[in-house]
Amino acid sequence: MAQVPQRFFDALAVRTWCGLSLRALGRAREEIDAINVYPVADGDTGTNLYLTVESAVAAVEAVFAAHEVGRVPAGRNPDRPADPAGTAGGPTLADAVGAMAHGALIGARGNSGTILAQLLRGLAQVLGAHGENAHTDGTGLRLALRHAADSARQAVAHPVEGTVLTVASAAADAAGNAEGDCAAVAHAAYEGARAALAATPGQLPVLERAGVVDAGGHGLVTVLAALVETFTGRTPVPGAAAGAVAVPHARVEHTGGETAGECAAPDGPGDGPAFEVIYLLEAEDTAVARLRQRLDALGDSLVVVGGDGLWNVHVHVDDAGAAVEAGVEAGRPYRIRITHFGAGDVHTTGTERPPRERAERAVVAVVPGEGLAGLYAEAGATTVLARPGEPPASGELVQAVRRAHAREVVLLPNDAELRHTAAAAAEQARADGIRVALIPTRSAVQGIAALAVHEPARRFDEDVVAMTSAAGATRYAEVTVAEHRSWTTAGICQAGDVLGLVDGDVAVIGADVTTVASTVLDRMLAAGGELVTLVVGDDAPEPLAGLLEARVREAYLAVDTVVYRGGRQGAPLLIGVE
């Protein structure tokens, strides 16, 4: 179906642009994934950009659904400006761009996705300033593109030329010199961006040697092409310079990598940081300023975007736990994702190596708290954080499997209720050619036991059997607080009661966390055990871990105890007995 062109930038144009961008990135995703070589070839720039825009689309569609708008643009007089939404009571331009920016912010993936979110936020800050106005024209779009490029550059700790930042600045420069309506400005921005993209190999030697353009910049050009189509109804056809932008696949290892090249790479010739850490953060501006300084000292590829109390933080570090702890000190981090780059990953430097091959094997695990996320990541696992009431969807697990960048992946759901979600993710990843084994771990402590015996040098089947056996030999329990009155296997509980669950069933109901925890621990050790694992949450009483350690030491002489801090894991205490 031919796209009906939009003459003005109004709410419907925002909706159209987001939808066209998503479809265009869907078509270009694999090509963009294939050309990342700077500074880490780790697998998913096109995919990350697609997921970021997908979140923006969902937010914009939600705004239209809330207003119950049924707009048919074909019947509008093309010479007359649009009304605020095409029908009375529809979303304004400010509503639509605000939703777009917020959706991109909370759904941003990877370095390039995070920067794209800031570009969209910069646009929204200018376009949203029109308040209840129905639309903006070419002048407004020029100003918005300029502010978007500038705000994105400011969000990056150490900008590098030859990246998406360069492409965004060139688009804004070209738009600033254009005259006419939104279509003319959008087309100028697209042509400026396309020319800048073609020049990126001359700005980054690693791109020139690989024979590719910058992957993040390629994604931005794709989004700007969709903007042109929004206002003209036609996909722009590249001119004579297009050959300079072509991707010579024959010279590129298909790693599916994320372009984190918007930030300076390490100065030395060795590998860069081992982990990518991403999280949303609720914090005040002053706290975020301090956070930037601390994270900049911890690693590289630092991008912090957002504002008005909500931020998206991206950094590459060696100490993932310290990066998360810095977020905790600044405010409330959540949706934490920690990816271990693996021994084969490379941060590009002046003496860079070729993009890495896939790792032979990796572990992907769902974890309930920031502390455990750091623990699992330090053990080499790619983690997906599951906060209370926010279980990950299968698509998020699939992306974690892809981020692990391995031929073989062991998937640990660590929750009985996630088994079907994890199975669906495993099936989808297998369709991508990844060998995936799902170990049905029902608790994070079972996952710890499985990870402890993980040995990548073993044959895959043998490793999976050993990990499954270790998980199955670990009985698990948790101490939590009832949210409402209900029937349980131990009787009726009231809201606020402390519950002790053993192997998923309520075994103890009480009024005190320490008392219930002691009772649960005694019941578990009555059946024997050699090792007790305690994962203590932020909501647990401060003396709890020490009291339980002392109890085990005094009453069960042959049993060892290990304690981990789980952070905001939902339950005050997780217990494992092996």
Side-chain angles (χ1 to χ4, degrees), residues 211-419:
V212 299
V213 295
D214 178 67
H218 189 330
L220 179 57
V221 169
T222 302
V223 170
L224 289 173
L227 184 63
V228 173
E229 186 177 358
T230 298
F231 296 118
T232 66
R234 300 182 303 276
T235 303
V237 178
V245 188
V247 180
H249 290 292
R251 298 177 58 192
V252 183
E253 266 187 58
H254 190 111
T255 62
E258 161 64 282
T259 296
E262 292 69 37
C263 303
D267 296 327
D271 289 347
F275 302 103
E276 178 186 57
V277 179
I278 307 172
Y279 50 79
L280 291 178
L281 178 70
E282 293 177 356
E284 299 298 326
D285 290 6
T286 53
V288 171
R290 292 192 297 270
L291 175 66
R292 288 179 192 269
Q293 294 178 347
R294 180 169 178 187
L295 292 179
D296 193 27
L298 286 175
D300 62 37
S301 293
L302 173 61
V303 186
V304 181
V305 304
D308 301 322
L310 181 62
W311 308 82
N312 192 306
V313 178
H314 173 285
V315 67
H316 294 173
V317 293
D318 279 320
D319 190 343
V324 174
E325 288 172 6
V328 172
E329 291 178 6
R332 186 179 83 87
Y334 61 104
R335 293 192 184 178
I336 300 169
R337 294 188 296 277
I338 300 175
T339 303
H340 184 259
F341 289 129
D345 250 322
V346 191
H347 276 62
T348 302
T349 68
T351 56
E352 72 280 345
R353 301 187 302 243
R356 69 180 174 104
E357 292 284 348
R358 286 184 178 275
E360 188 61 32
R361 189 173 308 158
V363 176
V364 173
V366 180
V367 292
E370 298 92 341
L372 282 179
L375 173 68
Y376 272 74
E378 287 168 8
T382 296
T383 62
V384 178
L385 190 70
R387 297 201 62 81
E390 298 180 13
S394 61
E396 191 170 354
L397 298 186
V398 171
Q399 291 310 313
V401 171
R402 290 172 178 161
R403 289 201 314 273
H405 199 58
R407 295 184 178 88
E408 302 169 341
V409 172
V410 179
L411 181 57
L412 306 175
N414 292 340
D415 186 336
E417 295 184 0
L418 285 178
R419 182 170 181 178

Side-chain angles (χ1 to χ4, degrees), residues 452-493:
V453 300
H454 170 52
E455 179 49 67
R458 277 194 296 238
R459 290 178 55 250
F460 185 62
D461 292 338
E462 292 175 353
D463 198 28
V464 171
V465 168
M467 294 176 73
T468 302
S469 178
T474 303
R475 284 165 288 144
Y476 65 97
E478 71 174 87
V479 177
T480 188
V481 178
E483 295 182 356
H484 49 76
R485 184 178 188 272
S486 73
W487 291 87
T488 75
T489 51
I492 299 175
C493 71

